[in-house]
């Protein structure tokens, strides 16, 4: 294998890893605040892709308008799911909310089959993202160049929001202590809704770019990426945003590189994430960047 | 200012409060003393809407608080500093103070209150960028009180502010409570350290297993034989 081919694989790996990172953030943020694994998150990712598809094909919007509309709709949908399926169970045992999340996941998938149809749809790739580019001596499809760039821009925005704004501070406060946050006059329900909106927004960005990278959509496309990104969040240390990004990148790179260097194992490509999960749980159960949340004064 | 009338609270089948009456007049320091499990914390938590009432009413500035959300009660100036300080350990001191003023819009006054807090607690000023979790217990209590001041309280309720602190710092905390009161904030104080609380209180209530068993001016209770025996450790 030449160095050029290696770089080509690497660009592919980093772009997949960036997508995983974007989706994993949604899992980790919701878990951080509600201690809930939002099993519907992978399906929200799928919806982001479909919304963009219909915006561009049925409604013939310019691609960037369509993408923005799709991202906005997905964020609103994420917030509605929280309101309808999770908020009424806020004071119920954790397992009830978990079951509700699994229910929402099945509901979205089944509705997807009914409404969108079970047959794959070809994603209408805008020219900008479908070009073959030459950087140095390597050829890459432009979408593989744009994915990490766009993911990075969204990450910077997210970090700013979390670390510098009052809402971000409230999110971090909520991840430790809901009751005290309430005592500060924080509208806890609103902050939780924002968190779902933000996570769903990032998942939608991921879903749209996924649609352009593997140019087809189908209602169950969110299942496997959803599982892998949940694993990415756990590997990085669930509740930790930097950890989720790191976990996503690691899983994406591991997956592509193993297939590239050990083609015999191609059939097992989905298994690597799970093997990594088992290893991490054995060696460092809190994840790479995770901390023990046991502390209480 | 705050009138608690015939307040009942049940946890499951257990009666935590069995009809208590408390009056907190404007500008005073009122204390609620009693042993573990007497229902002191429950009383304060009921006032800010963290636990549901089973009966009775809580009037604040002549408005019934039943069914009002905690965040709205806090915006009205009825503020609780919870037991165990509960600072946001993963946030800096500066951020903790900002969150205290979360629901406020009056930027100029927020800045003025921040100056006031940093003047009351110069220790915090030196450590603004530090994570709250790195502070000592006493400093955390100061931050918890400072953060509560940032919510612009009219009535500040404090749950065991001296718990687990060194005697010297306890003295300091009680001085601070008096200073805050002098700034015009009414105080409702819960304490197991009955002596210190009664010394600074205008009026006190003694609680036992969900009932008020005695009440009177702070000095009077301090000299009461039963109170001495039960809570002051003087035979």
């Amino acid at each position: 294998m030449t160095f050029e081919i290696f770089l080509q694989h690497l660009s592919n790996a980093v772009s997949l890893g960036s997508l995983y990172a974007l989706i994993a953030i949604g899992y980790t943020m919701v878990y951080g605040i509600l201690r809930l694994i939002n099993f519907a998150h992978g399906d929200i990712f799928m919806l982001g892709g479909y919304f963009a598809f219909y915006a561009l094909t049925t409604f013939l919007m310019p691609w960037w308008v369509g993408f923005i509309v799709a991202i906005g709709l997905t964020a609103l949908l994420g917030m509605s799911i929280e309101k309808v399926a999770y908020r009424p169970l806020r004071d119920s045992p954790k397992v009830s909310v978990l079951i509700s999340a699994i229910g929402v996941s099945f509901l979205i998938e089944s509705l997807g089959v009914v409404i969108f149809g079970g047959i794959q749809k070809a994603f209408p790739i805008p020219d900008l993202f479908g070009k073959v580019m030459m950087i140095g001596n390597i050829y890459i499809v432009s979408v593989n160049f744009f994915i990490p760039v766009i993911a990075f821009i969204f990450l910077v925005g997210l970090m700013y929001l979390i670390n510098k704004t009052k809402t971000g501070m409230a999110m971090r406060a909520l991840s430790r202590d809901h009751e005290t946050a309430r005592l500060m006059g924080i509208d806890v329900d609103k902050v939780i809704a924002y968190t779902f909106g933000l996570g769903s927004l990032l998942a939608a960005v991921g879903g749209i770019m996924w649609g352009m990278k593997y140019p087809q959509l189908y209602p169950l496309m969110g299942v496997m990426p959803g599982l892998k990104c949940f694993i990415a969040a756990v590997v990085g240390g669930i509740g930790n945003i930097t950890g989720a990004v790191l976990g996503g990148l690691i899983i994406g790179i591991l997956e592509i590189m193993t297939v590239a260097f050990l083609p015999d194992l191609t059939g097992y490509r989905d298994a690597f994430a799970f093997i990594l999960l088992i290893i991490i749980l054995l060696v460092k159960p809190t994840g790479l960047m995770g901390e023990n949340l046991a502390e209480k004064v | 200012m705050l009138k608690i009338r015939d307040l009942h609270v049940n946890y499951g089948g257990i009666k935590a409060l069995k009809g208590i009456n408390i009056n907190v007049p404007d500008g005073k320091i009122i204390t609620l003393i009693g042993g573990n499990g007497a229902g002191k914390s429950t009383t304060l938590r009921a006032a800010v809407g963290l636990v549901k009432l089973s009966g009775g009413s809580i009037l604040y500035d002549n408005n019934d608080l039943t069914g009002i959300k905690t965040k709205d009660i806090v915006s009205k100036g009825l503020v609780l500093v919870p037991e165990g300080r509960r600072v946001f350990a993963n946030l800096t001191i500066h951020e903790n103070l900002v969150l205290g003023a979360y629901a406020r819009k009056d930027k100029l006054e927020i800045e003025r209150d921040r100056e006031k807090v940093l003047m009351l607690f110069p220790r915090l000023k030196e450590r603004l960028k530090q994570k709250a979790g790195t502070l000592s217990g006493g400093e955390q209590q100061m931050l918890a009180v400072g953060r509560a001041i940032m919510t612009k309280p009219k009535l500040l309720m404090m749950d065991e502010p001296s718990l687990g602190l060194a005697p010297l710092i306890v003295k300091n905390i009680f001085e601070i409570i008096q200073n805050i009161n002098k700034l015009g904030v009414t105080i409702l104080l819960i304490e197991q350290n009955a002596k210190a609380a009664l010394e600074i209180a205008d009026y006190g209530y003694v609680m036992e297993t969900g009932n008020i068993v005695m009440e009177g001016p702070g000095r009077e209770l301090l000299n009461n034989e039963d109170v001495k025996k039960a809570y002051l450790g003087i035979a």
Side-chain angles (χ1 to χ4, degrees), chain A residues 162-164 166-167 169-170 172-189 191 194 295-297, chain B residues 45 48 50 69-71 74 79-80 82 84-86 88-91 94-95 98-104 140 147-148 151:
Chain A
I162 298 274
N163 290 317
K164 298 288 176 211
K166 236 164 70 169
T167 306
M169 273 178 219
R172 282 182 288 144
L174 272 187
S175 74
R176 286 301 171 98
D177 191 340
H178 281 222
E179 197 175 279
T180 308
R182 227 170 241 138
L183 290 175
M184 299 297 110
I186 293 172
D187 189 340
V188 170
D189 285 337
V191 177
Y194 286 155
E295 59 182 283
K296 201 148 202 199
V297 188
Chain B
R45 292 167 59 81
V48 291
L50 288 178
K69 278 186 174 175
T70 302
K71 67 167 179 83
V74 172
V79 177
L80 170 65
R85 310 183 271 278
R86 308 266 288 260
F88 298 116
N90 55 332
L91 270 58
H94 166 75
E95 290 170 336
V98 170
L99 280 185
Y102 187 84
R104 293 172 60 185
Q140 286 190 16
R147 187 178 60 178
T151 59

Side-chain angles (χ1 to χ4, degrees), chain B residues 3-16:
Chain B
K3 291 193 185 91
I4 297 176
R5 290 283 163 269
D6 194 31
L7 177 63
H8 287 75
V9 170
N10 299 342
Y11 288 127
I14 299 155
K15 292 192 169 78

Side-chain angles (χ1 to χ4, degrees), chain A residues 69-150:
Chain A
V69 169
I71 291 168
L73 277 179
T74 315
L76 283 180
L77 195 92
M79 290 162 89
S80 322
I81 290 172
E82 187 272 327
K83 188 163 186 181
V84 173
Y86 305 148
R87 192 178 302 177
L89 298 170
R90 192 70 43 85
D91 298 320
S92 316
K94 292 249 157 61
V95 69
S96 310
V97 195
L98 192 70
I99 291 167
S100 184
I102 295 170
V104 171
S105 170
F106 285 154
L107 179 72
I108 296 177
E109 286 164 20
S110 307
L111 281 179
V113 174
V114 173
I115 296 169
F116 307 140
I119 302 166
Q120 281 99 329
K121 288 194 178 347
F123 195 91
I125 306 170
D127 292 339
L128 177 67
F129 296 99
K131 280 187 301 207
V132 174
M133 296 169 44
M134 209 175 128
I135 301 177
N137 277 335
I138 62 165
Y139 291 94
I140 59 172
V141 185
S142 58
V143 71
N144 280 339
F145 166 78
F146 281 116
I147 285 174
V149 173
I150 292 172

Side-chain angles (χ1 to χ4, degrees), chain B residues 4 7-9 11 14-20 22 32-47 51 83 159-160 188 190-192 206-212 231:
Chain B
I4 297 176
L7 177 63
H8 287 75
V9 170
Y11 288 127
I14 299 155
K15 292 192 169 78
L17 296 179
K18 304 167 189 165
I20 62 164
I22 289 175
L32 200 54
I33 61 172
N36 261 337
K40 307 186 303 285
S41 294
T42 305
T43 308
L44 299 198
R45 292 167 59 81
V51 292
E83 183 179 349
D159 195 343
E160 305 269 6
L188 175 55
I190 286 190
E191 262 301 334
Q192 291 203 21
V206 182
M207 274 188 95
E208 242 169 53
T209 56
N211 290 306
I212 304 274
Y231 301 106

Side-chain angles (χ1 to χ4, degrees), chain A residues 23-75:
Chain A
I23 307 165
I25 289 169
Y27 280 106
T28 226
M29 282 179 69
V30 166
Y31 183 86
I33 287 182
L34 288 183
R35 302 289 179 268
L36 161 74
I37 309 295
N38 180 15
F39 272 106
H41 193 59
D43 304 299
I44 292 172
F45 153 85
M46 173 272 288
L47 286 176
Y50 269 99
F51 287 162
F53 171 85
Y54 285 109
L56 266 56
T57 56
T58 309
F59 296 99
L60 297 170
M61 295 180 190
W63 64 267
W64 56 276
V65 178
F67 286 3
I68 292 171
V69 169
I71 291 168
L73 277 179
T74 315

Side-chain angles (χ1 to χ4, degrees), chain B residues 9 38 59 117-118 120 129 143 163 189 205 211-212:
Chain B
V9 170
L59 293 175
V117 168
L118 295 180
L120 272 172
K129 297 256 177 262
L143 178 56
L163 192 74
L189 173 69
Y205 293 85
N211 290 306
I212 304 274

Side-chain angles (χ1 to χ4, degrees), chain B residues 8-150:
Chain B
H8 287 75
V9 170
N10 299 342
Y11 288 127
I14 299 155
K15 292 192 169 78
L17 296 179
K18 304 167 189 165
I20 62 164
N21 292 291
I22 289 175
N23 222 339
V24 183
D26 209 349
K28 303 285 186 199
I29 299 181
I30 307 299
T31 187
L32 200 54
I33 61 172
N36 261 337
K40 307 186 303 285
S41 294
T42 305
T43 308
L44 299 198
R45 292 167 59 81
V48 291
L50 288 178
V51 292
K52 250 197 180 152
L53 317 190
S54 321
S57 64
I58 297 171
L59 293 175
Y60 172 71
D61 272 348
N62 292 320
N63 295 313
D64 193 345
L65 294 183
T66 316
I68 297 184
K69 278 186 174 175
T70 302
K71 67 167 179 83
D72 297 323
I73 295 176
V74 172
S75 310
K76 288 177 199 284
L78 181 55
V79 177
L80 170 65
V81 181
E83 183 179 349
R85 310 183 271 278
R86 308 266 288 260
V87 297
F88 298 116
N90 55 332
L91 270 58
T92 66
I93 289 151
H94 166 75
E95 290 170 336
N96 268 276
L97 293 177
V98 170
L99 280 185
Y102 187 84
R104 293 172 60 185
K105 303 265 184 284
D106 45 344
K107 275 204 172 130
L108 277 175
E109 284 207 42
I110 291 175
E111 192 44 45
R112 212 173 299 153
D113 282 347
R114 209 179 93 102
E115 293 299 320
K116 199 158 66 181
V117 168
L118 295 180
M119 225 157 67
L120 272 172
F121 308 109
R123 295 287 282 278
L124 299 181
K125 194 171 186 172
E126 301 156 19
R127 293 168 165 72
L128 280 173
K129 297 256 177 262
Q130 214 169 303
K131 289 266 159 74
T134 63
L135 296 177
S136 71
E139 289 165 345
Q140 286 190 16
Q141 185 63 58
M142 290 173 191
L143 178 56
V145 174
R147 187 178 60 178
I149 292 175
M150 295 300 293

